[in-house]
Amino acid sequence: MEICVVGTGYVGLSCGVCFAKLGNRVTCVDIDENKIEMLKQGEVPIYEPEVKELLDMHSGKNLFFTTGLVEPVKKSNVVFIAVGTPSSEDGSVNLEYVKAAAADIGKAIDGYKVIVNKSTVPVGTGEIVESIISKHYKGEFDIVSNPEFLREGTAVSDFLKPDRIVIGCSSKRAMNIMKRLYSTIKAPILFTDIKSAELIKYASNAFLATKISFINEIANLCDIVGGNINSVADGMGLDKRIGREFLNAGIGFGGSCFPKDVKALISIARENGFDFRILRAVESVNSEQHLRAVEKLQDLVGPVNGKKIALLGLAFKPNTDDTREAPSIRIIEQLISMGAVVSVYDPKAMGAVQAIFENKLQFAENAYKCASGSDALMLITEWEEFKKLDLRKIRNVINKPNIIDGRNIYSRERLEMMGFNYRGVGR
Ligand code: UGA
């Protein structure tokens, strides 16, 4: 099939390369000339495993990049809108880019197309896009909502092996085209109306965020009453109705999706006169979870003023260079405000943090240099490389053997045997 993807952000680009891998002819469009130039040269603007390989394999053959939307839209059967939907100040979703893309598509089309919303958009956006396109184009077209459930770091495998594909549409013709598009992917396809599809995306992310805040609260309780959060989560997770995934306690969720989507769903509800109380609690728990790690740090080292604190991990989760809404940023701000000397190391995400904090931090070349001479080490992101650290070496270079394990990746027993003072989350 001939496909056009509007927006080459994380979602658009991942989908674009994957649709090319499935044998379609794909053109990715973006207004950002630099980004398009980079992609044409085979450079990927984000760190996302497997995207580069697929780009190299398909670019120039059945995958193209351009800043001009008209031609690719005209020749496509399916046009995906995958532009950004940032949060406004009040938490509501800013649809400016979606609306602009819809207008451009409306001006470009001259025959039947399926226009698919891939961006995460509030309920009712399908209707908005339809009405914008109809202003410019009087012929036939169909609107589909096909939310993405890709995780950063595993976007390609999530696309090719999804748990489900959700397609919201009201036309048989569009339904058949979408079915054909995904025919080689082995996953259940759920066909719904457009509004349900739009809601499924928010409800799924908000539910996963709720699971995380819930388990973090149980961990906080374990810290007071005893018990081991890992065993509690294992015991809960064995119940098929609950499931073990997303029950890992830690220092809170971050990234470009959960914080934004929880806020957006609260705001969508509020705009419609409904108070989404559970989600307000989820947000509130998450906004304080990182502070508990800082309290544990103070328990171990006393006042942190003038102390050197080493942070391992800056990305909001492993296998990405993304630091948006990352707990690391909030912890760094807190530590700096308390007068600590902060040294940091992350395998991929140093650049973004350097741009924010500049010379207020010490940027180390590796985990050992980061820990060297410090009064405590805080594990923030559970990168594989940190799980495999030579902890004896850390013990030798650290000034005071204090470890705050914000992701529960180390064995308390082992660390204590090595002479470390250990604090995990709920264990
Ligand atoms: C999330 C969803 O998982 C995807 O399905 C969705 O498509 C995506 O948002 C999106 O809307 O685009 P992502 O933000 O990439 O994906 O990351 P997750 O792997 O879901 O992790 C989110 C945050 O939750 C991370 O900060 C992670 O550390 C935290 N988390 C996750 C926990 O604290 N505990 C857990 O058990 C799981």
Side-chain angles (χ1 to χ4, degrees):
M1 250 188 247
E2 189 80 40
I3 293 177
C4 173
V5 181
V6 183
T8 58
Y10 158 75
V11 172
L13 183 58
S14 305
C15 292
V17 297
C18 287
F19 279 126
K21 180 180 165 59
L22 296 181
N24 301 287
R25 212 181 124 84
V26 182
T27 308
C28 295
V29 183
D30 205 294
I31 47 172
D32 185 335
E33 286 176 14
N34 291 336
K35 209 189 255 183
I36 291 297
E37 210 36 55
M38 270 179 92
L39 287 161
K40 277 185 180 166
Q41 305 297 325
E43 288 170 51
V44 181
I46 48 167
Y47 171 73
E48 181 61 41
E50 296 185 74
V51 167
K52 167 82 179 134
E53 287 77 358
L54 290 181
L55 183 72
D56 289 347
M57 223 178 275
H58 297 281
S59 190
K61 294 183 191 120
N62 63 333
L63 175 62
F64 307 91
F65 297 94
T66 175
T67 49
L69 171 145
V70 178
E71 284 314 311
V73 164
K74 271 195 202 320
K75 62 181 185 212
S76 294
N77 317 94
V78 184
V79 180
F80 283 92
I81 300 179
V83 295
T85 49
S87 284
S88 307
E89 282 283 299
D90 60 357
S92 64
V93 180
N94 175 352
L95 283 179
E96 172 192 346
Y97 303 111
V98 172
K99 288 179 183 170
D104 289 345
I105 293 167
K107 286 176 204 158
I109 51 176
D110 55 2
Y112 178 80
K113 315 268 168 224
V114 179
I115 316 290
V116 187
N117 253 330
K118 253 288 170 216
S119 304
T120 302
V121 289
V123 195
T125 305
E127 287 170 357
I128 296 176
V129 169
E130 182 165 17
S131 83
I132 294 175
I133 292 178
S134 317
K135 265 192 213 145
H136 302 280
Y137 170 69
K138 302 296 169 204
E140 267 190 294
F141 68 98
D142 279 309
I143 298 288
V144 165
S145 166
N146 172 214
E148 58 79 23
F149 302 103
L150 315 176
R151 283 164 300 175
E152 287 188 28
T154 51
V156 170
S157 64
D158 285 347
F159 184 99
L160 298 171
K161 290 181 224 133
D163 288 347
R164 80 302 206 184
I165 294 162
V166 173
I167 294 172
C169 69
S170 52
S171 119
K172 199 95 202 135
R173 187 174 180 186
M175 198 192 264
N176 286 333
I177 291 175
M178 294 305 288
K179 227 190 236 171
R180 226 175 80 211
L181 189 58
Y182 285 111
S183 58
T184 49
I185 292 188
K186 284 199 190 79
I189 300 188
L190 178 72
F191 287 101
T192 71
D193 59 285
I194 293 181
K195 286 189 174 172
S196 300
E198 290 168 342
L199 264 175
I200 286 169
K201 168 69 193 196
Y202 278 111
S204 302
N205 272 3
F207 187 77
L208 292 171
T210 305
K211 253 184 129 174
I212 299 169
S213 274
F214 183 88
I215 203 68
N216 282 341
E217 283 287 70
I218 298 284
N220 297 337
L221 186 62
C222 283
D223 275 336
I224 302 165
V225 300
N228 181 333
I229 191 62
N230 290 353
S231 311
V232 177
D234 288 344
M236 288 169 67
L238 282 169
D239 184 329
K240 288 196 197 72
R241 295 169 301 175
I242 298 174
R244 179 64 178 83
E245 282 184 69
F246 281 70
L247 283 185
N248 294 319
I251 46 172
F253 58 78
S256 64
C257 303
F258 286 179
K260 174 167 84 78
D261 292 352
V262 167
K263 263 196 184 60
L265 198 46
I266 294 172
S267 158
I268 291 164
R270 195 190 306 116
E271 280 164 19
N272 289 283
F274 176 66
D275 179 9
F276 210 139
R277 290 167 297 169
I278 292 182
L279 285 187
R280 282 197 291 109
V282 167
E283 200 178 33
S284 150
V285 168
N286 198 56
S287 69
E288 288 174 17
Q289 192 62 16
H290 68 287
L291 294 177
R292 297 181 187 271
V294 177
E295 283 165 15
K296 287 172 188 161
L297 172 74
Q298 287 168 306
D299 274 354
L300 289 180
V301 306
V304 296
N305 186 20
K307 305 253 166 66
K308 180 175 171 186
I309 312 299
L311 256 62
L312 291 189
L314 298 168
F316 81 96
K317 66 171 195 179
N319 298 325
T320 173
D321 61 354
D322 196 341
T323 55
R324 283 176 288 177
E325 301 282 334
S328 64
I329 306 286
R330 279 172 265 153
I331 290 178
I332 291 171
E333 281 166 352
Q334 185 75 18
L335 293 177
I336 289 179
S337 75
M338 295 190 306
V341 178
V342 184
S343 89
V344 299
Y345 169 70
D346 187 285
K348 292 278 177 225
M350 301 278 263
V353 172
Q354 212 150 8
I356 304 174
F357 293 99
E358 295 174 343
N359 54 5
K360 292 195 191 110
L361 301 176
Q362 296 177 3
F363 292 90
E365 264 168 48
N366 59 43
Y368 304 103
K369 288 200 174 146
C370 182
S372 178
S374 67
D375 296 284
L377 185 142
M378 299 182 85
L379 186 285
I380 306 294
T381 316
E382 67 277 33
W383 284 94
E384 221 27 61
E385 120 172 29
F386 298 151
K387 293 183 182 167
K388 294 181 188 145
L389 275 189
D390 181 346
L391 291 164
R392 283 188 199 286
K393 202 163 153 189
I394 295 282
R395 177 75 183 82
N396 289 338
V397 296
I398 203 163
N399 182 31
K400 296 273 166 57
N402 296 314
I403 289 199
I404 311 293
D405 181 0
R407 299 289 181 180
N408 287 343
I409 64 171
Y410 298 122
S411 146
R412 166 191 285 277
E413 289 71 30
R414 200 169 149 243
L415 281 170
E416 285 182 346
M417 265 168 45
M418 289 165 71
F420 281 102
N421 304 310
Y422 176 89
R423 294 280 188 286
V425 184
R427 56 205 274 262

